Amino acid sequence: MPVKFHLVVFILYIYVDAVFSSFCYWNTACSYRYFSTKTPYNAVRGDIRDSVINLPECEPISIWGIFRSGRTYPDPKSAIKMKEAIAIRDLVVSSYEKGRCSLCAQDIDNLRDWAIDKDMFDKTSALHDEGRKEMFGVASRLKEVYTLLKELDRANYAFRSTQHRWVKESAKAFMEGLGNKNLVMDELTSDAIKTDVEEDPAWNKEMNKYTISPDYLAAKDRIQRRLGLDYSLTSDNITALYDLCWYTWSGLNNKASPWCALFTTEDLKVLEYIGDLEHYYKDGHGRQSTNMNNQIPLPDLLETFQLAKSGKGRKITACFTRSRIMDMVYAALGWFKDSKPITAADKKRDRLWRTSRINPHAANVVMVLNRCAFKKTSDYHVMFYLNEEPLRSVCEGGICSWTEFEKLLTPFRETTSNKTVS
């Protein structure tokens, strides 16, 4: 074989090795922090105190919001897989010591020094302390902006939660954030999602196709070479390591996880997209089932604001739920719908259905009914907020006239709603 050919191969090897060695996670200026529906709320939220829409001669008279629960501990199934994956840490350190791993020295130190939090295995599915603070913070900021929340009695509020433990704990944290110890939660009779999606083999079709796509396989190969392990990582291994990455990321302190050093930014984008596909086809715009509208509380929103117009409404109605219902609400309202369905074959960077931004931990949609006095006549406007930022894609700049609002909600008049949020 010609000498020149050996030289080219040698140079290429050095170049590839240098590329993989040049990425140091620990001092990356802006670490990637978008993990689909496991994204920390603080990574994407706004601040209602800065972004509130104030219209001249208008007064807020009623607030209606739907809130996803705050961050939780892993579910039992994920916790088991994460616990097993922790053993890979020693293999990565050993690989580095043998010169086969391309992680930076400091990334290895951070991974080696990482301490196991026993609560992640002992408190499965419970509300995490960060989740409690997320919900408390949302409520306290709302109260700071809207004075009508400072004096609440049993007749002018409603707090509704599903029966899921972590959701009820989130609701309680929110109520604590309002600073009124006398607030009580409504009793619910049911919180079951009546759906055939689990029996529908089509909902995870695109997600499964993506896990054998060139995009995913390239990421899998990058991770394998980056870690330099003696055995081939399975997709389950990668998922468990990814779970350790997002779970051990501190959203409140904006502190990156040493487990995320196992991935490049492009790897994390690939894994994020798997979550987008899952939620798009399971409960979002790609869902085939037709009974979705029966599961969401939008009829109550219209009724609540109609009563408020007549002087009989509540100051605040807050519904607490899971990520699945948030997806259903977005799909039912036609929000965040791309011109073409998202698929395994085309991971668009500018897609509208981006669960990291629309459905992170503690995701929320808040509507505020305002009574306005223009030329001595009463008029009403509704402001829309997503995660404490105006939802500008609704009406004009997130401000709907009453006519526009009624038109948006009218399709839900005939749906069956028991005012629960499954």
Side-chain angles (χ1 to χ4, degrees), residues 41-71:
Y41 184 59
N42 274 9
V44 296
R45 75 168 176 87
D47 191 318
I48 193 68
R49 296 171 298 183
D50 299 323
S51 60
V52 63
I53 302 171
N54 290 310
L55 290 181
E57 302 180 75
C58 291
E59 174 192 13
I61 61 171
S62 185
I63 296 172
W64 192 98
I66 183 165
F67 302 83
R68 180 191 165 186
S69 63
R71 176 186 170 184

Side-chain angles (χ1 to χ4, degrees), residues 4-56:
K4 285 187 177 179
F5 180 79
H6 284 288
L7 182 61
V8 170
V9 172
F10 179 70
I11 293 173
L12 182 60
Y13 174 81
I14 292 176
Y15 172 74
V16 171
D17 187 62
V19 168
F20 276 86
S21 298
S22 62
F23 177 73
C24 294
Y25 187 77
W26 73 276
N27 65 352
T28 300
C30 187
S31 301
Y32 200 74
R33 51 187 177 177
Y34 305 112
F35 309 106
S36 184
T37 55
K38 304 301 191 296
T39 300
Y41 184 59
N42 274 9
V44 296
R45 75 168 176 87
D47 191 318
I48 193 68
R49 296 171 298 183
D50 299 323
S51 60
V52 63
I53 302 171
N54 290 310
L55 290 181

Side-chain angles (χ1 to χ4, degrees), residues 73-74 79 83 117-126 165 247:
Y73 289 96
K83 192 171 186 177
D117 176 11
K118 286 187 61 180
D119 286 345
M120 65 192 291
F121 306 122
D122 296 342
K123 297 182 178 180
T124 53
S125 295
R165 177 180 53 159
Y247 175 78

Side-chain angles (χ1 to χ4, degrees), residues 177-228:
L178 292 177
N180 185 333
K181 296 181 180 179
N182 298 319
L183 299 178
V184 296
M185 209 177 338
D186 292 358
E187 291 293 329
L188 293 186
T189 57
S190 171
D191 64 354
I193 295 180
K194 298 177 178 65
T195 176
D196 57 0
V197 69
E198 281 80 7
E199 287 73 41
D200 180 4
W203 77 264
N204 60 0
K205 180 180 177 182
E206 288 298 318
M207 186 175 68
N208 290 339
K209 284 169 62 176
Y210 189 65
T211 59
I212 57 173
S213 70
D215 205 19
Y216 178 82
L217 293 178
K220 188 176 180 181
D221 182 62
R222 281 193 301 268
I223 298 166
Q224 183 74 47
R225 286 190 289 157
R226 184 167 170 77
L227 303 187

